[in-house]
């Protein structure tokens, strides 16, 4: 059915960065449904070499790249006889990302995606951006790079895709407020005392969305919504006080825009990332997807509540970082990435994540980044500082095992 839409047109040339992740596999699912409509240039992954081999055998990109150089022999073997070029290592990943395409998706997680995503932006007509950390850590510098190359930026994050859709044809100066919806994550109703003991397994099991580990933890701390406020600021040029967050546990409304006449426009749909990916893939057109349709007659109430910034301090930390500007969001992002990894390794507790971020923001310097090299230097500093804070947290946990219960 999808194929009939594109029959007779030249195939769209596409690259998928982070092809083995949650965003990557949802993208590949859409691409696989229309083999005539899309020609795949590059698929990239970091370490899941078997998944990359399987995807490359199925979709026949021109090149498949694994970030970890030590996995090259496995990739080469796995692709033998397929005609798909195998490559490995950081430089190969950048080279593959740089290949000219009509459309590339940035589906790498974290600031590690910054350089590959910018490489893709150099020669892609459209950059579909899922990797919100790029905008959080590099903001203005990232946008300048895109402008320099004339690359169109289409958001994939569901909230930003919703806003992008409801803004179509509207005048930006008529926007009064952006309203980002948030599911509230798996710990929406927990007290802080209860949160002190949660495990990584509990934190990654999101009630509504199936996603990678890092964004799932970010959703549980609500740092994800904080990162999304910063992302919305950069994408839509709306100042921080006019970007609201509302808890909407059903995840049916993906976000809203309020205009100067009081009208609020919303975008609704099932919580399935294939819709926002398809919006970006077909933009400025639309394409059919197999996503389940909303059944309004079966739908229970849609509910809304204000976020609780005391139980979820990450949201306020992100807002404060955006207000301070300069390199502070870069610090916030890097500290959060390091803290989330430490929590996943069980080196720190769940409530230590905002503590580590707050400490890094208070002790690290954050000059205004003018170049990507500046961003990477601030990011590296913040990571060193966060590791030191985590060492201190871990020592405190050993000295007083019950500390977390008292928070
Ligand atoms: P994931 O962990 O499922 O996948 C991450 C991908 O990035 C994998 O393909 C992995 O191989 C690759 N990768 C990881 N580290 C890398 C590195 N150092 N170098 C190169 N490649 C590397 O993550 P995800 O859930 O798909 O999220 C990807 C991005 O999209 C994140 O920035 C996330 O915030 C954003 N996002 C995801 C969702 C979702 O539903 N999953 C929704 C909105 C936004
Ligand atoms: Mg989102």
């Amino acid at each position: 059915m999808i194929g009939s839409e594109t029959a007779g047109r030249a195939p769209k040339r596409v690259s998928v960065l982070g092809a083995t992740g949650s965003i990557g596999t949802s993208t590949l699912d859409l691409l696989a449904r229309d083999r005539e409509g899309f020609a795949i240039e590059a698929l990239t992954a970091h370490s899941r070499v078997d998944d990359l081999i399987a995807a490359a055998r199925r979709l026949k990109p021109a090149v498949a790249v694994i970030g970890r150089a030590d996995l090259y022999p496995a990739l080469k073997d796995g692709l033998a006889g397929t005609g798909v070029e195998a490559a490995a290592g950081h430089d190969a990943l950048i080279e593959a990302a740089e290949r000219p395409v009509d459309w590339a998706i940035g589906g790498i997680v974290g600031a590690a995606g910054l350089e590959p995503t910018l490489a893709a932006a150099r020669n892609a007509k459209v950059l579909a951006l899922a990797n919100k950390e790029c905008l959080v850590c590099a903001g203005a510098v990232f946008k300048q790079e895109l402008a320099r190359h004339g690359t169109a930026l289409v958001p994939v994050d569901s909230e930003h895709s919703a806003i992008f859709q409801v803004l179509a044809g509207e005048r930006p100066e008529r926007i009064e407020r952006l309203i980002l919806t948030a599911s509230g994550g798996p710990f929406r109703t927990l007290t802080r005392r209860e949160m002190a003991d949660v495990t990584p397994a509990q934190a990654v099991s999101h009630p509504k969305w199936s996603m990678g580990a890092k964004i799932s933890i970010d959703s549980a701390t609500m740092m994800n919504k904080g990162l999304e406020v910063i992302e919305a600021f950069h994408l839509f040029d709306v100042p921080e006080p006019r970007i609201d967050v509302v808890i909407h546990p059903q995840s049916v409304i993906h976000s809203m825009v309020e205009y100067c006449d009081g009208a609020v426009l919303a975008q609704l749909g099932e919580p399935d990332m294939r819709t926002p990916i398809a919006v970006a893939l077909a933009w400025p057109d639309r394409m059919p997807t197999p996503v389940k349709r909303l059944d309004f007659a079966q739908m229970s109430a849609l509910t809304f509540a204000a976020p609780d910034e005391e139980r979820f301090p990450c949201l306020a930390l992100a807002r404060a970082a955006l207000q301070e500007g300069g390199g502070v969001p870069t610090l916030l992002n890097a500290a959060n990435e390091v803290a989330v990894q430490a929590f996943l390794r069980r080196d720190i507790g769940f409530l230590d994540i905002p503590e580590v971020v707050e400490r890094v923001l208070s002790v690290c310097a954050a000059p205004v980044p003018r170049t990507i090299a500046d961003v990477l230097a601030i990011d590296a500093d913040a990571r060193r500082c966060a590791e030191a804070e985590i060492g201190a947290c871990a020592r405190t946990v050993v000295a007083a095992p019950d500390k977390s219960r008292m928070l």
Side-chain angles (χ1 to χ4, degrees), residues 18-23 45-46 93 107-109 112 130-133 157 211-212 215 273:
T20 54
S22 165
I23 291 291
H46 181 57
L93 203 146
I108 295 175
V109 59
N131 182 328
K132 68 193 83 186
E133 295 92 346
D157 211 350
M211 309 181 288
I215 184 176
M273 287 307 293

Side-chain angles (χ1 to χ4, degrees), residues 49-50 53 66 68-80 86-88:
V49 71
D50 292 338
I53 291 167
I66 192 85
R68 267 181 46 191
D70 58 309
L71 294 171
Y72 178 71
L75 182 65
K76 181 123 184 79
D77 275 4
L79 294 179

Side-chain angles (χ1 to χ4, degrees), residues 110-118 127 129 131-147 153 227 230-231 233-235 321-322 325-334 337 367-379 383:
L114 183 58
E115 288 181 284
T117 308
L118 279 172
L127 174 67
L129 189 66
N131 182 328
K132 68 193 83 186
E133 295 92 346
C134 281
L135 274 174
V136 174
C137 76
V141 184
F142 184 85
K143 287 200 300 179
Q144 274 162 21
E145 286 291 303
L146 260 63
L153 178 62
L227 300 179
I230 301 175
E231 184 184 12
F233 167 82
H234 289 300
L235 285 170
L322 177 55
V328 183
T330 319
L331 296 178
L332 172 101
N333 182 66
E337 286 190 25
V368 179
R370 308 264 176 225
T371 63
I372 293 297
D374 293 347
V375 170
L376 295 175
I378 299 170
D379 177 273
R383 280 169 202 270

